[in-house]
Amino acid sequence: MAPTRAGGAPAPWTAAWELLLPAAAAPARARGRSLRSALREAVRSGRLAPGTRLPSSRALSADLGVSRGLVTEAYEQLTAEGYLRSGRGAGTWVSDTVRAARPRARDLAPRPPGARADFLPGAPDLSLFPRAAWAAAQRGVLADLPHHALGYPDPRGLPRLRTALADLLTRRRGVAADPERVVVVSGVAQAVTLLGHVLHARGVRSVGVEDPGSPEHDALFASAGVDAVPLPLDDEGLAPGPLRASGVRVAVTTPAHQFPTGVAYSARRRAALLRWARSVDGLVVEDDYDGDFRYDRAPVGALQGLDPERVAYTGSVSKSLAPGLRLGWLLVPESLAEEVVERKRTMDLGHPVLDQALFARFVERGDHDRHLRRCRRAYRERRDALVAALEEHFPGTEVTGVAAGLHVVAALPERWGPSSRFLDRVGAAGIAVRPLADCARTPAQDDRVRLVLGYAHLPPARIREGVRAMAEAGT
């Protein structure tokens, strides 16, 4: 008996019929379950459209070569679930309430623009990811991890990882790291969001952010109901006068290598920032987003080490290993620790255990330090290639922020302006760049071309070729 749609019109059955045939051939014990699953999938996928009349249980069982009871049971089960509908003497139909699932899941992950030359900042070279060492650490963890460790973790993170991170950050970044106040998070984004929720619960409705600075901070705090107040910089860091006049009691900073200008806060400015925090009973949030990469100067220690009770420190492996790992840390003052940990618990019950144990082993065995040394050598070479190419093709360019990080700021000579015209020409040539204005909340005083140029993800030859092409396009 051929199935029909409501109204008597014939309905195509062939595609769905083929879907049921493997189920009918399944082993006897699994045949009923397989038939129900196959029939359910045919409805979900749209191969059996809403309003399609199904064959009688007698006809379908004969065609499939299975018992009638098996088909009757499948019809009854799917009717109970809402996939089918039936009426006494009216047959069995696909329910009108079922909507076919989309044929494929979309991938909304950010992707490189596919440009002729991509100088967008913020990306490490993912081809340098230490796959062999990471795989070895993973095998070791799976072999050694006790069964009970796979239960719900401490929301702060595994003690083993918190201890390894405390040692690492004390040694490399000069923080005052107590493992009891380390919280493992899924990147700086979650750390900032956690702090935003805790501060909002305490009545904080605004925080100061660097201008120019990371646009991400604004959105993350906004998700917690906290407004971002732009605060200007000078050549030493966050300007103290506007900070005091703003009335905020929380300021978000990138003092080791300010994003995007590359300024390292002076010792005098660091001291002034901490005096301000003490005077208003406030808090400094330190985003140490690329603290592992220093080239021409001694590493600048973290601000948190000077006053752990006034600074919440956060960082991640997004620049040092890969952003897709979603692994970071937050060191919180004692006064905030309990509330932050409780918020972390209710948010996700803790970071994935296997990921934590794997990274702890990776750090303990020295693999992390070896990887950073390899990346530093590669990124220094690429920075030098970018600076040399700018000097060759854009003579007179002011390049700043070169001593650390994964990007530089290039202020081109005035003859390359106005900025909008230059950006239009470069974009039309398939060259992806980020203007400094994208990171600023207040407009620039002139129309000079200022670019934030990332280089870590590009080999030297691509850098030289890209800068040459940018100069040709911008002329």
Side-chain angles (χ1 to χ4, degrees):
M1 172 182 177
T4 60
R5 294 190 188 276
W13 171 261
T14 305
W17 196 265
E18 292 174 351
L19 190 67
L20 300 182
L21 290 175
R29 287 189 175 183
R31 196 169 296 157
R33 183 175 65 253
S34 298
L35 181 61
R36 292 191 298 273
S37 178
L39 190 55
R40 190 183 292 113
E41 181 57 30
V43 175
R44 282 176 177 164
S45 66
R47 296 173 80 174
L48 282 178
T52 299
R53 184 174 183 175
L54 302 186
S56 69
S57 57
R58 185 187 303 276
L60 184 56
S61 64
D63 287 344
L64 292 178
V66 299
S67 71
R68 183 181 179 186
L70 211 65
V71 176
T72 300
E73 182 183 358
Y75 279 5
E76 290 175 349
Q77 177 64 36
L78 268 69
T79 298
E81 294 176 5
Y83 289 93
L84 305 179
R85 60 180 173 84
S86 63
R88 185 177 299 277
T92 302
W93 306 75
V94 176
S95 172
D96 293 331
T97 63
V98 179
R99 294 293 179 265
R102 291 183 177 180
R104 63 176 63 88
R106 293 183 299 158
D107 185 358
L108 300 180
R111 291 286 182 267
R116 176 183 176 188
D118 173 14
F119 288 104
L120 297 179
D125 186 347
L126 300 181
S127 71
L128 295 179
F129 185 81
R131 292 174 182 263
W134 196 258
Q138 188 173 51
R139 288 192 297 270
V141 163
L142 289 173
D144 299 341
L145 196 69
H147 298 315
H148 69 80
L150 294 172
Y152 289 109
D154 183 329
R156 295 172 297 177
L158 295 183
R160 176 183 180 183
L161 178 55
R162 288 187 283 118
T163 299
L165 284 173
D167 292 343
L168 176 73
L169 296 172
T170 298
R171 172 170 52 85
R172 296 192 66 91
R173 302 299 301 125
V175 302
D178 179 351
E180 289 296 291
R181 283 156 56 183
V182 174
V183 181
V184 179
V185 293
S186 56
V188 171
Q190 188 182 48
V192 172
T193 304
L194 281 171
L195 288 171
H197 282 291
V198 169
L199 293 170
H200 185 273
R202 288 189 166 203
V204 174
R205 295 295 180 268
S206 61
V207 300
V209 295
E210 298 168 326
D211 185 19
S214 172
E216 312 300 331
H217 291 148
D218 300 36
L220 294 171
F221 278 109
S223 70
V226 179
D227 294 330
V229 177
L231 299 173
L233 304 166
D234 59 25
D235 57 2
E236 293 186 71
L238 203 60
L243 172 61
R244 288 191 297 269
S246 69
V248 300
R249 294 174 53 207
V250 179
V252 187
T253 64
T254 52
H257 184 238
Q258 200 278 329
F259 181 87
T261 66
V263 168
Y265 279 35
S266 67
R268 182 176 64 174
R269 189 55 50 82
R270 288 166 168 247
L273 186 58
L274 292 176
R275 284 196 300 271
W276 163 82
R278 295 165 192 148
S279 68
V280 299
D281 191 23
L283 177 72
V284 177
V285 180
E286 180 177 11
D287 179 358
D288 197 18
Y289 71 98
D290 66 355
D292 289 309
F293 300 110
R294 298 291 178 269
Y295 310 120
D296 302 324
R297 67 182 185 211
V300 179
L303 181 69
Q304 188 266 2
L306 299 176
D307 194 342
E309 293 307 315
R310 289 296 173 191
V311 181
Y313 173 91
T314 183
S316 76
V317 302
S318 293
K319 302 296 186 288
S320 60
L321 281 167
L325 296 178
R326 306 312 308 137
L327 183 58
W329 44 86
L330 172 64
L331 276 66
V332 290
E334 186 175 3
S335 59
L336 292 174
E338 185 175 336
E339 295 160 82
V340 167
V341 172
E342 178 59 19
R343 175 62 69 168
K344 170 68 174 172
R345 185 187 68 79
T346 58
M347 183 176 285
D348 59 18
L349 297 180
H351 203 72
V353 168
L354 289 175
D355 294 349
Q356 293 188 64
L358 196 166
F359 187 53
R361 185 182 180 96
F362 191 77
V363 172
E364 292 164 352
R365 293 168 62 88
D367 293 324
H368 187 57
D369 285 340
R370 282 188 287 274
H371 174 68
L372 290 178
R373 288 194 293 271
R374 179 189 179 200
C375 289
R376 235 185 345 256
R377 289 192 297 269
Y379 296 163
R380 183 199 300 266
E381 180 186 10
R382 297 171 189 195
R383 181 212 57 180
D384 292 346
L386 177 59
V387 172
L390 289 170
E391 290 176 352
E392 177 181 355
H393 297 288
F394 294 92
T397 294
E398 298 173 17
V399 183
T400 57
V402 298
L406 308 179
H407 72 272
V408 302
V409 175
L412 306 188
E414 293 183 3
R415 68 183 181 87
W416 292 94
S419 180
S420 57
R421 184 186 65 184
F422 179 86
L423 294 172
D424 286 344
R425 290 179 175 178
V426 167
I431 301 167
V433 296
R434 187 174 192 178
L436 181 63
D438 280 2
C439 304
R441 284 85 171 174
T442 54
Q445 299 298 312
D446 56 43
D447 203 21
R448 189 174 180 183
V449 181
R450 294 179 176 86
L451 305 174
V452 185
L453 300 176
Y455 55 80
H457 57 293
L458 297 170
R462 291 283 302 278
I463 291 173
R464 290 188 287 269
E465 177 187 345
V467 172
R468 179 187 57 77
M470 183 164 55
E472 291 175 353
T475 303

